[in-house]
Amino acid sequence: MSMRTLPLVFINLGGEMLYILDQRLQTQNTADDNTQKVMNDIIATMFSKAFMEELLKPQDLYSNRALRTVLTRLAHASIMRLNPASMDRLYELMVMAFKYQLLLCPRPRDLLIISYNHIDAIREFVRDTPSVLNQVDETHRKIIEVYTPLSDGEFQLLRQTLLIFLQDMHVRVSLFLKDKVQNPNGRFALSTTGPVPHGTEVPGLIRMFSSNGKEWKRWEFPTGGSYTSSIRVGSFERFGDRVTRIGTNMYSVTQPEETHTSKSYSQKANSEPNPLAKEELNLLARLLGGMKVQNRNTETGFRVNLFATDQEEEEAGASGANGDQSFQVINIQATQDVQVNTELARIAGEFTGEPEQTESPEGPSNKGDDLLAMMDELIEL
């Protein structure tokens, strides 16, 4: 398993979240000031320096449950609120979009191009907010610094780790079904046409060589597809032409009903709690927190609905209550405490809803406690 997957997962899923929220905010005719505030607050929280520094450290990929909880917290980092049914839909859309992008990825290294497309779009969301824009640029520089030196083999392991993580997710998305890139069972249908990955040849020819290296025979075979020569490589720099559109905003021209999802079957792989779930939840929930909670509490919030009508949202919430338990929302108490650095065990208990613990953390190995402390520091900023 690759130890470098978490930053790319977070950036790509976070980017998909912002695409969806931007589309829904526009559909619901939300005031421009509120829309911009929501985007600024979420992006500022997502790209906070302390959080990204911890995220970029080599570490295992977290459980689906933990990641979903953290992204729920991120979605509520501003004055916007989603009810559990809308949050379920948001997470499903994010994950299925990223899974499809992984499957389309021509080469493992092109995972960076997909991530950079997300970062480029996020940068555009906050182009008029210099302080947040600087946070995004700084993160992009760190991503380049960390991932550029990796070998092709390491990128292949990274991609394989991500595909294993997402292999049991088969949620039907109306947009994919409409474009016939997803089957009714929720599995993607990949095309057998188009350009081959850079550095490879168009399939269909077999060549045989003699012992001295001279070609002495060749014949063609049917490939079952229509392939063309590879296109040029996209830019891996901070700015440049990425060439591919994989990872760009696919909702910019869609209708609200095209963000509809439905589950083909539950995700059995995550039906049992991960034994590291407590540490994982503490790790990211503490860092994300909410930006300037004290100020936001005095502002008038508003609700975003990812369904076409409120009735659909209520029906989805009612059916979800009796459905797959692996996707139920985990409530986290964002309790602040000035003595947090010396009371990490108690705070960890509050975040997971467990009784107060009297035992002290097990030193530096308890990574969740360290990052929980950083989240409170972000909240107090």
Side-chain angles (χ1 to χ4, degrees), residues 79-363:
I79 57 177
M80 178 196 68
R81 290 295 174 263
L82 298 167
N83 80 359
S86 283
M87 189 63 221
D88 286 344
R89 172 170 291 188
L90 175 61
Y91 184 74
E92 290 165 356
L93 286 168
M94 292 156 50
V95 170
M96 293 307 293
F98 183 42
K99 181 177 181 178
Y100 185 51
Q101 293 161 8
L102 281 174
L103 293 173
L104 291 180
C105 188
R107 304 175 303 163
R109 185 173 291 274
D110 289 334
L111 284 172
L112 284 183
I113 298 289
I114 296 174
S115 302
Y116 293 170
N117 272 335
H118 282 107
I119 294 176
D120 290 344
I122 293 171
R123 185 184 287 112
E124 186 64 18
F125 283 136
V126 293
R127 65 183 184 276
D128 297 325
T129 311
S131 60
V132 183
L133 182 61
N134 289 337
Q135 289 179 243
V136 177
D137 286 339
E138 180 60 26
T139 296
H140 199 167
R141 281 190 286 268
K142 290 179 180 177
I143 292 290
I144 292 174
E145 180 182 333
V146 169
Y147 286 93
T148 298
L150 298 186
S151 67
D152 290 338
E154 289 173 303
F155 274 107
Q156 173 60 25
L157 180 60
L158 195 156
R159 182 173 183 267
Q160 182 182 29
T161 301
L162 291 174
L163 289 173
I164 291 173
F165 175 71
L166 299 170
Q167 65 180 345
D168 293 315
M169 290 288 292
H170 303 295
V171 180
R172 294 186 293 267
V173 178
S174 60
L175 176 61
F176 294 144
L177 293 170
K178 178 182 177 181
D179 291 342
K180 300 186 184 305
V181 298
Q182 191 178 34
N183 295 322
N185 63 2
R187 297 180 183 274
F188 288 109
L190 299 181
S191 173
T192 56
T193 62
V196 297
H198 184 78
T200 61
E201 297 181 358
V202 176
L205 178 66
I206 297 176
R207 295 182 294 175
M208 300 196 67
F209 296 84
S210 63
S211 58
N212 59 9
K214 291 185 178 180
E215 180 182 333
W216 64 277
K217 185 179 181 180
R218 65 166 56 190
W219 67 93
E220 297 181 353
F221 65 92
T223 63
S226 178
Y227 299 100
T228 60
S229 299
S230 61
I231 57 178
R232 59 191 176 88
V233 180
S235 172
F236 286 87
E237 301 300 323
R238 195 155 62 92
F239 299 101
D241 184 4
R242 311 299 179 195
V243 179
T244 180
R245 292 191 56 79
I246 303 175
T248 58
N249 189 353
M250 65 179 181
Y251 302 102
S252 58
V253 293
T254 63
Q255 298 299 315
E257 58 270 18
E258 292 179 345
T259 58
H260 178 71
T261 64
S262 60
K263 295 180 183 178
S264 55
Y265 54 87
S266 63
Q267 187 174 5
K268 297 179 180 179
N270 288 298
S271 59
E272 295 297 326
N274 189 308
L276 297 178
K278 175 171 177 275
E279 285 193 18
E280 295 168 353
L281 289 173
N282 290 342
L283 168 67
L284 293 180
R286 178 59 173 250
L287 275 172
L288 283 173
M291 283 193 60
K292 302 179 182 177
V293 171
Q294 299 90 339
N295 293 335
R296 284 206 311 275
N297 287 342
T298 63
E299 294 175 314
T300 302
F302 63 93
R303 185 172 65 89
V304 171
N305 184 357
L306 266 73
F307 293 79
T309 65
D310 289 343
Q311 182 179 356
E312 284 186 25
E313 186 179 44
E314 292 170 1
E315 290 173 355
S319 62
N322 299 319
D324 182 8
Q325 298 299 310
S326 67
F327 281 102
Q328 295 215 347
V329 175
I330 300 173
N331 292 321
I332 300 176
Q333 289 184 341
T335 305
Q336 299 186 51
D337 194 314
V338 295
Q339 301 296 331
V340 66
N341 291 327
T342 58
E343 301 180 32
L344 295 176
R346 180 183 66 77
I347 293 176
E350 290 178 2
F351 268 80
T352 56
E354 298 175 358
E356 181 174 335
Q357 302 293 324
T358 57
E359 293 139 355
S360 60
E362 297 179 2

